[in-house]
Each structure stands twice: as structure tokens, then as C-alpha cells.
Amino acid sequence: MNLPLHKITSILNAEYFGNTSDAIIENISIDSRSLQNGPQTLFFALVGRNNDAHLYIKDLIAKGVHSFVVTYIPEGLEGKANFLIVENTLNALQQIAAYYRKLFAFPVIGLTGSNGKTIVKEWLNFLLSPDYNIIRSPKSYNSQVGVPLSVLGINEHHNLGVFEAGISTIAEMEKLEKIIQPTIGILTNIGSAHDEGFANLEEKIKEKMLLFNYAEVVIYQKNNDVEQFISSKTKTISWSFTDTTATVFVSKKEHTHEQTLIQYTYEGNISTLKIPFVDDASVENVISCLLVLLYLEYDAKTIQSRIELLYPIEMRLKVKKGINNCSLIDDSYSSDFQSLKIALDFLESQKQHQKKTVVLSDIFQSGLSNEVLYSKVSELIVSNKICRFIGIGETISTLKTKLPNAVFFKDTNEFLLYLDQLNFENETILIKGARSFQFEEIVAALAEKTHETVLEINLNAISHNFNFFKSKLKVNTKMMAMVKAFGYGSGGFEIAKLLEHHKVDYLGVAFADEGISLKMAGIKLPIMVLNPENTSFPAIIQHQLEPEIYSLKGLNAFLKIAEHKKLKDFPIHIKLDTGMHRLGFEANTIDDLIATLKGNQTVKVKSILSHLATSDDLQHKNFVQYQINLFEKLSSKLMNELQITPILHILNTSGISNFPQAQYDMVRLGIGLYGVSNDSEEQRHLENVGTLKSIISQIRTIQSGESVGYGRRFMANRESRIATIPIGYADGIARSWGNGIGFVTIKNKKAPILGSVCMDMLMVDVTEIACKEGDAVVIFGESPTVNYIAEKLHTIPYEILTSISQRVKRVFYRE
């Protein structure tokens, strides 16, 4: 922006005190820590519940800032700067942004919704950038503060805007609408995020739809609840999988291994589109983008060629440990001027070393000429006191004459060739590049070969636990080890390989795809699929898996395929329902089962099994005995009538210990293999397998009366040190584990979890712990144990283990 201070005073109807009202303002700031603050900065002193930026004005004046928007002039500072006094500084920030937005007449896309806003925004930027100079919200700047800061980044060279608006309660969207003033509106998925701020779903939708009050067109998934809040004068473009009256009707959706193929009808024409994602959320987000392209009259060929190049979006700047005691800030998929300013502020706030390095690619879609753009980049680099600058790309090399301590490479490959000569050590490195430069390769090269948040799997402990339970078995009793649910969350292939080494007799998985993955990875052990779907039978046969059969319908379906393929003696496993009432043949279906199998040579009953419902609770031992007796009766009848001698098995982990008389021919070892038992005495003999670890990202000090996290659910009653840990409910940490119920371990001491567990992080109290940023954190393992967490959350250890997201890296080791 470029506005004289006296004009801003008039716009805000502010009371002016100062002597340079003709000063030109080029930069708006709300962050007193930013090194980008300078003489052309107008600082808005925002006031929050626990923070008053007026307290930092004296320091900012000392650093060269001359102009401030305030609600009062701090004592002793009269006459030392330009002060614009207003009633509310946040309102003033929004007011100047709304005025500034009106200076530009190009189209603006405004997005809101519960989920998908940032992803759709970034994808639209990618899809439309060949044809427009786009200004968009950096990262997820969609709040009452973030939206005005985003809009104030517009310059005269931009010809399309893409801004997202997020709200958490009523009376917020009207303010954001005045700032964004969208001509094209997009409503993404409406989910449960921030539900607590609204009385009901209708109120939430009504509030969000205020963003589109004056939009020319609204794009949304067809929904009656939404349509009641769209003006009849507003053009709509809707889509649906089920409603043929939608503007775009998606009539077909097919998944392959890596993409989704949809067929859609628009204006009477039927088209197909390949989408490079298979998850439902991504497909829906792509469809939102598709409708924008259709509205802007892009042809089908262009739409397909661009959409097939879409890529997953990294939603946040990530701090990683680097080689040679370096810290890395990974922003390797983004290179635009607005986000560079944010990344540099983040670099300053996250630096763990005095030496700061920036690796930056050519910058695209700035809306500025190269000369102006890179002059501004050089100013940022200098003002942020960057010690070393590395430019990669043909255009950025124009900075050679502007930055003294800089080196340049024509592309990423050339940089990697000279990597060893650059001697990275003891520095914080911001890595920021446009996607086409593939800076993820630089991150990989500079990253320490560990991960911030990892689930460490002790293979020695698995061996120990396996042998512990094996010692309880008779000499001839076989062992099936359960590796379903990705090894109870610990990892499938690596554990299967170890069990193969221990000569386990069988592996058990829940679904066919788990078994296929193991077979494809080279596991030779027989694998039983406990819950096969009929549609998976051909794949089961192809990969030589062995299905559990639990119904006549399933049996007949499998036999039909087996006969068609002319199979002989293909192994199947018959499941009997002895009281669990989940899956299995009941007593009244045994005769039909026998009639179906008798004389059939395409399959062979390899085993007969059942499942105990209460083997872990000796109060129900009579019911267990009832199940065992019924299993004995039904299996004997099957064997006698069919003249077979299959493997019999009914015991799970708890059954191995509590009902040794029912070992039959095989037992199924499940969660006990992973170091968890329901019996406290037995638990002492098991070794912990999985340790979920993370690190401290940041430590801050808060004062009594200040809050932590969403909803201010924790209020400090003393000065406290708060550590932020980069793991949250998206990683599998239950939100109910927060608010003082749970804890993590740091330096062998308990650190209580404060406030709500967030999606990607949680906060803990480290006031009494001598720790620093970067120190290790144990989420669970030896302390707290998964048993302890399960008990406190009124659930079972299985849920704790299997909830750990696949995005958490598994690291396998032997001691």
C-alpha cells in the first residue's frame, strides 16, 4: 500500500497528534517483534484480553517506527511520534482494510466453510495463476485480524483476489464481508469445527453466508439448509452427487490406487475428470475448484491438464532438526511476497541460533515488476538481519548487486551439488521455494535423519513379549499373531518380518488390503483375513490370502468364484458364533453349512475358530466356559460330518493366560504382543513396545490470569512456563486427554496438559521443569502408559494405540 498518513487519519476519523501527517505509509503492522517495522510502518496497537500492544510503543519508537494507531498515548511519549487515536484499534484496522479494498475493481473470490478453505484457496491460486496476478490470504490468515492484513497486501498489478474468511461465533462475518467484498463466493464443507460458538447448525450457516450478501455468484454443494440463506437475486452454481437439479451433477465416482475419476454434467454436456486424490475431502475440494473454472469459462482440456497437477498442501510452517545442529523452517512449497514476510517473522520467532540463513527461490505472482519485487525482497532480507542468503533461480540472481553476503544457483540440482561446500552448521535456515523448484529435496538433504514426532517401536520388546506368551503354551500349540490395524498402530511389515523370523505359524489381519500389503512386501507366512468383504475375494485368491468365512452368503459367494477359477482345496477358515454375536455361523445354521461344504473340493477348511467375549474378566468365567463348551460341540459336529481335522482356535491374548485348558491347536496373540495386558501382575512381565515421542517447539511465559488454548479452558493462577508440543488430535491424541486430565513426560517429570488438545499441537505446564526448546517429550510409553491413559479416558488400550495417525512416523529399532 502507499497512503499518506493524513488520508488514513481522515478514513479512520481519528484524532491526530504529531508533526509529520504527510508521511507515506507503506506497511501495516500489528507485531511489535517483527524486524520489518520501520519508518514507513503504521503500527496498530491491538488490545486483547491479556495483551496490550500500547506497552511496546516506546520500544518501537526506539527502533524507528514513527506512526501508531492507538486508543491512548502512553505516558511520556507525547510528541515523540505520530498518534492516530481511535475508539477501537481492531475496528480501525478493519476499517482501513475495507477502504483499501474499494480502491480495486478486479474480481475477488471469497471462501468460507468449516473445512477446506485454505486448501481450495491454494489450489485456486495454482489453477488460475497462469492467467492472473493473484493476491491471496497467506497461509490461513482468515481471522478478524488475518483478513485485513491479507487484503492490505493488494497492489495495483493484481487482477484477482482469493481470500478466506473464518469465524467462530456470530457477529463476525459481517465485518469480514466489508473487507473482502467478494464477487465470487465459495462455501466449502460445513462440518463441526467451532460449533461451540453457535446455538445450532442453522445459526452457523446463516452467519457464514453473510459473506456472500453482495456476491455476483455463490458456489456450493447443493443443500436446502444453505439455499434458504442465499438471496434470490444472487446467481448460484451448485454441485451434488445425488441431486440431479444441481448445476453440476456428479453422476459417477470411481477410485483407482492414486486417483479418482468423476463424470459430471454441466449445461447439458457430460464430461469426465481425473482427480489426483482418492480421499473424499480432497475430491470435494477439487469439485469446488472445478466449478470456479467452469464459471470462468475454462475449456475441459485446460481444466483437466491443470487439475491433474494438483498436489497436497502443507498447511503450516514446520520446524525440523537439521544436520550439524541446524534448525530448519520448512516452507518448501510456497514462494510469494506476502508469505515471505510471514515466514521471516516466523524465522525470527523460532530461531534457535544467532545465525539466520534464508534459501529462497524465484518468486511468482507478486503483482510487481521484477525490479520492484526484488528491491523489496532485499529490504526484507536486510531488515530481518539475515546472515546468509542463498537464491535459487534465474530471476532471483538480480539480487547479486543488492545483497553482500549472498550466493546464487540456477536451480535446485546445482545447489545440491555444492551442498557440502556451503558448510551449514549452528544456524536457523528458512527454506522457501515455489513448488516447481522441488525444495523438498533441500529439506531432505539438510534435515537430521529423525522426526520431531515419532512412534518408536522396540523390536526387542516385541520379541520378549512373543516369547513370554509362547512360554505359556503347550509344545504343539500353534501361534497366530495379529498384525491388523497396522500392527495395532505400531507398523505392519516390520513387525510381520520379525514374527516371521520367530517362526510364528500364522498372521492375522482385519481386511484384505492389509494382507495384500504384507504379501507384496515379501512376507511368506500364511495370512488369515478376519473380516473379508465379498468384493475382496478375487484379490484374496490372487495374493494367496486365507479368508475367514462367517456366513452362508459369504461362503456361497466365495465358492462361486473358486469354482469359476477351478480352485482345489483353497484354504478357508470357518468362524462360529458362540456368544459374541458379532460374526459367525450360529448353531441353527450349522446343518446348512455342512450341506454346502460336504463333497466340495474347491475349498479346504483349514481352521475352525470362535471369539471369546469376556476372556479378560474372570467375573464372567462361566460365560467363557459356556462359549468353550458350545465351540467344542459345534466344531466337533463339523469335523465329524465333514470328516476333517482342521486347526481349532478360540483363545485371544487374555484367554491364553486365563483359560489355558482351551488352547486347542492354536491361539491368537493380539495386544499382548505389543506390551499391553489387562492383568496388572502379567503387565509387569511385559516390555513396553511403543514410545510416542515429540519435542518442545516453543516455550513461553504467561502471567496469572492469562489463558492457554481454544476457549480459554486453562487460566493461569501464577506466572507459568508453557511449552507447545507439535502433536494433537489429528495425530491421535484424544481431545479429552487435555484440560489437566493428561500429562506428558519431560526430563522424567510430569508436565500436565493445559487447555484443549489442538489439531496439531498441545500445550503443557513446564514451570517446575528445567527444559528448553528442542528437548524430547514422551507422550506415552513407560510414563504415561497406554493402560493409564485408557483408564483415565474410560476406554481400552486398543483405542489409544490404533488411534495414532499414519502421519506420525514409525521408527523401528533394536537395543
Side-chain angles (χ1 to χ4, degrees):
M1 66 181 300
N2 196 313
L3 289 174
L5 189 60
H6 64 81
K7 179 65 175 178
I8 296 175
T9 304
S10 174
I11 294 167
L12 299 181
N13 194 26
E15 189 176 1
Y16 176 75
F17 292 88
N19 52 20
T20 54
S21 64
D22 58 346
I24 299 299
I25 299 301
E26 296 181 357
N27 178 43
I28 299 292
S29 176
I30 62 166
D31 187 350
S32 62
R33 299 165 298 179
S34 175
L35 297 181
Q36 298 160 38
N37 294 323
Q40 280 74 50
T41 294
L42 177 61
F43 184 86
F44 283 73
L46 300 185
V47 179
R49 290 183 180 179
N50 299 300
N51 191 43
D52 184 351
H54 292 77
L55 300 176
Y56 309 117
I57 291 177
K58 182 178 180 180
D59 291 338
L60 286 165
I61 292 174
K63 293 177 181 178
V65 180
H66 301 323
S67 304
F68 300 86
V69 177
V70 298
T71 56
Y72 64 92
I73 301 175
E75 186 177 350
L77 298 182
E78 297 88 348
K80 294 187 177 181
N82 300 310
F83 292 101
L84 282 63
I85 299 179
V86 298
E87 289 187 9
N88 183 296
T89 49
L90 175 58
N91 288 346
L93 176 66
Q94 295 173 338
Q95 191 176 347
I96 191 64
Y99 167 83
Y100 189 69
R101 163 68 180 90
K102 289 180 180 179
L103 299 179
F104 302 92
F106 55 73
V108 169
I109 299 173
L111 302 100
T112 192
S114 301
N115 309 103
K117 297 185 294 295
T118 303
I119 292 171
V120 172
K121 177 200 69 185
E122 292 298 322
W123 282 349
L124 285 174
N125 176 67
F126 173 81
L127 293 167
L128 298 173
S129 59
D131 309 304
Y132 296 92
N133 284 325
I134 300 173
I135 175 70
R136 71 189 191 281
S137 310
K139 296 294 180 181
S140 55
Y141 267 41
N142 59 25
S143 67
Q144 298 292 304
V145 174
V147 169
L149 292 177
S150 300
V151 168
L152 287 166
I154 299 173
N155 66 49
E156 63 273 17
H157 298 287
H158 291 125
N159 55 14
L160 178 68
V162 187
F163 301 107
E164 57 176 297
I167 57 172
S168 56
T169 189
I170 59 173
E172 290 186 345
M173 188 60 85
E174 184 178 7
K175 298 176 182 178
L176 299 187
E177 190 281 330
K178 291 178 180 178
I179 301 168
I180 297 174
Q181 302 168 39
T183 54
I184 300 173
I186 301 175
L187 181 69
T188 62
N189 175 273
I190 290 288
S192 59
H194 304 296
D195 272 357
E196 62 272 15
F198 303 94
N200 49 49
L201 180 62
E202 181 175 304
E203 183 179 77
K204 181 178 181 179
I205 295 173
K206 181 180 180 181
E207 179 72 16
K208 287 184 178 293
M209 296 303 290
L210 293 176
L211 179 62
F212 310 134
N213 273 354
Y214 304 101
E216 296 171 3
V217 62
V218 177
I219 292 170
Y220 66 103
Q221 184 173 10
K222 194 167 179 59
N223 183 322
N224 291 334
D225 293 334
V226 169
E227 289 169 343
Q228 64 178 313
F229 299 113
I230 301 177
S231 169
S232 59
K233 298 178 182 178
T234 304
K235 177 181 174 64
T236 61
I237 301 181
S238 61
W239 68 272
S240 177
F241 290 123
T242 58
D243 190 338
T244 57
T245 66
T247 314
V248 175
F249 175 59
V250 183
S251 56
K252 192 175 182 181
K253 183 171 69 169
E254 296 178 348
H255 295 299
T256 64
H257 179 61
E258 296 180 341
Q259 64 181 15
T260 301
L261 179 67
I262 67 169
Q263 185 178 83
Y264 64 93
T265 303
Y266 175 63
E267 294 184 341
N269 298 315
I270 299 176
S271 304
T272 59
L273 180 67
K274 292 179 181 178
I275 297 173
F277 305 99
V278 294
D279 62 290
D280 290 341
S282 294
V283 171
E284 291 183 10
N285 289 333
V286 171
I287 293 174
S288 293
C289 295
L290 166 66
L291 267 61
V292 174
L293 296 176
L294 291 172
Y295 175 70
L296 295 176
E297 299 183 346
Y298 280 80
D299 61 83
K301 183 178 179 180
T302 302
I303 291 173
Q304 179 62 76
S305 65
R306 294 189 184 179
I307 282 182
E308 66 186 15
L309 297 177
L310 289 177
Y311 51 90
I313 298 297
E314 177 54 58
M315 303 294 286
R316 56 178 176 162
L317 291 160
K318 296 190 294 185
V319 183
K320 301 178 177 181
K321 285 188 176 181
I323 59 174
N324 304 326
N325 197 36
C326 289
S327 298
L328 307 181
I329 296 177
D330 180 2
D331 197 14
S332 55
Y333 292 119
S334 174
S335 181
D336 61 88
F337 186 68
Q338 283 296 99
S339 65
L340 174 61
K341 296 166 69 175
I342 294 169
L344 287 170
D345 280 343
F346 188 79
L347 167 62
E348 180 63 21
S349 68
Q350 291 289 323
K351 67 176 182 181
Q352 296 182 19
H353 308 278
Q354 286 302 311
K355 185 177 181 181
K356 297 186 295 183
T357 297
V358 170
V359 181
L360 182 67
S361 78
D362 287 345
I363 295 176
F364 303 123
Q365 287 89 47
S366 69
L368 302 171
S369 67
N370 285 337
E371 182 179 356
V372 173
L373 169 64
Y374 289 109
S375 291
K376 288 181 174 292
V377 170
S378 66
E379 291 171 6
L380 285 178
I381 298 302
V382 171
S383 65
N384 279 270
K385 300 176 182 178
I386 301 303
C387 305
R388 175 160 60 158
F389 181 84
I390 298 172
I392 300 179
E394 299 287 349
T395 310
I396 203 169
S397 61
T398 59
L399 285 174
K400 285 180 180 179
T401 59
K402 299 179 183 294
L403 296 175
N405 191 18
V407 292
F408 297 87
F409 300 92
K410 65 178 182 180
D411 56 31
T412 302
N413 288 335
E414 185 180 24
F415 168 86
L416 293 171
L417 285 175
Y418 286 88
L419 181 63
D420 292 341
Q421 300 177 35
L422 293 170
N423 299 319
F424 290 102
E425 61 179 351
N426 300 315
E427 54 196 297
T428 303
I429 308 167
L430 170 63
I431 302 169
K432 186 168 183 59
R435 179 171 173 79
S436 59
F437 282 85
Q438 297 181 315
F439 269 19
E440 67 272 18
E441 296 181 16
I442 296 178
V443 174
L446 292 177
E448 186 178 81
K449 298 305 182 267
T450 58
H451 305 278
E452 287 178 2
T453 300
V454 298
L455 181 58
E456 293 183 349
I457 310 300
N458 186 338
L459 295 175
N460 297 78
I462 289 182
S463 296
H464 169 86
N465 298 335
F466 175 85
N467 289 324
F468 171 78
F469 284 101
K470 190 174 182 180
S471 69
K472 293 175 174 284
L473 305 181
K474 300 171 186 175
V475 175
N476 296 323
T477 302
K478 299 178 186 296
M479 177 88 80
M480 174 184 286
M482 308 306 297
V483 291
K484 63 180 181 177
F486 195 61
Y488 289 74
S490 297
F493 168 71
E494 292 82 358
I495 293 174
K497 199 69 179 174
L498 177 65
L499 294 169
E500 197 168 48
H501 169 75
H502 284 296
K503 301 188 184 304
V504 72
D505 300 283
Y506 259 91
L507 296 177
V509 299
F511 299 103
D513 56 354
E514 296 173 316
I516 291 170
S517 294
L518 293 177
K519 286 292 188 181
M520 295 286 285
I523 298 299
K524 300 292 193 284
L525 289 171
I527 300 175
M528 177 177 152
V529 182
L530 280 76
N531 303 320
E533 298 168 323
N534 290 3
T535 55
S536 70
F537 286 154
I540 285 174
I541 293 170
Q542 178 185 347
H543 294 279
Q544 294 296 296
L545 303 175
E546 302 180 15
E548 173 185 286
I549 301 295
Y550 50 82
S551 69
L552 285 170
K553 180 179 179 181
L555 176 59
N556 286 324
F558 189 84
L559 289 176
K560 183 177 180 180
I561 295 172
E563 289 166 0
H564 177 72
K565 292 182 176 294
K566 297 182 170 54
L567 301 180
K568 182 173 175 60
D569 292 335
F570 194 92
I572 62 172
H573 302 261
I574 298 298
K575 175 74 169 288
L576 302 178
D577 182 1
T578 58
M580 181 77 168
H581 295 328
R582 190 171 63 179
L583 293 174
F585 291 92
E586 295 177 286
N588 60 4
T589 62
I590 295 298
D591 288 336
D592 290 335
L593 172 62
I594 292 170
T596 303
L597 287 174
K598 187 170 287 188
N600 192 301
Q601 296 183 354
T602 59
V603 297
K604 178 182 180 179
V605 178
K606 193 70 175 289
S607 81
I608 301 173
L609 67 147
S610 189
H611 194 66
L612 299 178
T614 59
S615 62
D616 59 337
D617 189 350
L618 293 179
Q619 291 184 7
H620 295 286
K621 62 181 180 181
N622 289 336
F623 184 75
V624 173
Q625 194 56 55
Y626 162 79
Q627 283 195 268
I628 292 171
N629 292 341
L630 183 57
F631 177 70
E632 181 78 29
K633 175 184 176 182
L634 297 180
S635 60
S636 295
K637 183 174 183 178
L638 275 172
M639 291 189 291
N640 290 334
E641 292 286 342
L642 297 175
Q643 294 295 297
I644 56 175
T645 55
I647 299 168
L648 302 180
H649 49 117
I650 194 173
L651 297 184
N652 52 10
T653 295
S654 298
I656 293 171
S657 299
N658 293 333
F659 299 94
Q661 75 279 11
Q663 288 182 14
Y664 291 102
D665 304 296
M666 185 164 71
V667 297
R668 303 188 300 272
L669 178 61
I671 201 166
L673 181 66
Y674 306 94
V676 176
S677 172
N678 293 298
D679 181 82
S680 58
E681 178 59 25
E682 186 174 81
Q683 185 66 55
R684 293 194 308 108
H685 296 281
L686 300 178
E687 291 185 1
N688 179 65
V689 169
T691 301
L692 183 59
K693 289 184 175 181
S694 192
I695 64 166
I696 298 175
S697 287
Q698 189 175 39
I699 296 176
R700 71 185 69 242
T701 299
I702 65 172
Q703 303 304 314
S704 178
E706 291 190 311
S707 62
V708 173
Y710 288 119
R712 309 192 73 204
R713 290 185 173 86
F714 171 78
M715 303 290 292
N717 57 15
R718 61 172 182 171
E719 183 180 278
S720 305
R721 293 176 76 232
I722 309 300
T724 299
I725 319 299
I727 185 171
Y729 60 77
D731 302 295
I733 308 301
R735 293 186 76 244
S736 52
W737 187 231
N739 298 312
I741 296 173
F743 68 91
V744 301
T745 300
I746 302 173
K747 300 288 186 180
N748 295 317
K749 293 183 179 180
K750 293 182 179 180
I753 299 174
L754 305 180
S756 297
V757 174
C758 305
M759 178 180 287
D760 303 299
M761 61 196 78
L762 53 83
M763 288 70 73
V764 301
D765 187 348
V766 294
T767 307
E768 307 299 333
I769 302 175
C771 58
K772 62 183 185 301
E773 293 174 359
D775 281 349
V777 179
V778 174
I779 312 300
F780 66 64
E782 297 291 349
S783 176
T785 65
V786 291
N787 294 65
Y788 177 86
I789 297 173
E791 179 184 353
K792 292 297 181 181
L793 297 183
H794 307 292
T795 184
I796 57 176
Y798 296 78
E799 183 176 355
I800 305 301
L801 286 174
T802 58
S803 293
I804 302 305
S805 166
Q806 294 304 301
R807 78 177 188 176
V808 174
K809 302 295 183 182
R810 272 66 173 173
V811 177
F812 299 87
Y813 71 97
R814 296 180 186 272
E815 294 178 332

